[in-house]
Each structure stands twice: as C-alpha cells, then as structure tokens.
Amino acid sequence: MNKLQLKGNWNTVKGNLKQKYANLTDDDLTYAEGKEDELLGRLQKKTGKTKEELTDEINKIK
C-alpha cells in the first residue's frame, strides 16, 4: 500500500475532495497527525473506494 503523504497544504486537498465528493463533511475530513488510517476509513465508507485508491487520489491532488 502506498504511504499517504499529507504534509503540505491539507486545506487544498480537503477542498478538492469536498468538490469531488459532495457528501463529505468537515468532520469526515478532520486530519490529525498519526491518524491517517482513521481518516482513510471514514473516506472509504463515504466514497466506496479502497484505501489504496484514496491514497493515490490524495497524493495526486497535492
């Protein structure tokens, strides 16, 4: 599995994800350092994508 790299501008990534997936809320996109798996789990439930797909998508946004 690819490593999720959230260093950088998380607000930009969050905004892009909210535009693409209208059902995501700020609570879904709350990121705390060291809690990447928890974030990916919430996103996986809302989007139906795998953790690998989400990791790739997030890493491409930055």
Side-chain angles (χ1 to χ4, degrees):
M1 181 169 121
N2 294 334
K3 178 85 171 133
L4 182 63
Q5 298 174 7
L6 294 176
K7 293 179 183 169
N9 194 348
W10 175 241
N11 287 329
T12 300
V13 173
K14 185 168 66 169
N16 285 337
L17 289 172
K18 284 176 77 173
Q19 286 178 359
K20 186 168 184 175
Y21 304 103
N23 62 332
L24 293 178
T25 66
D26 285 333
D27 288 339
D28 294 326
L29 294 166
T30 300
Y31 168 70
E33 193 168 335
K35 301 278 187 172
E36 291 88 358
D37 286 338
E38 185 179 317
L39 170 67
L40 288 172
R42 287 192 307 263
L43 294 177
Q44 189 176 13
K45 285 181 184 177
K46 288 281 188 140
T47 64
K49 292 188 175 237
T50 66
K51 287 184 179 184
E52 290 81 11
E53 290 172 321
L54 290 166
T55 299
D56 288 343
E57 187 171 337
I58 289 169
N59 288 335
K60 286 178 186 175
I61 290 173
K62 304 183 304 166

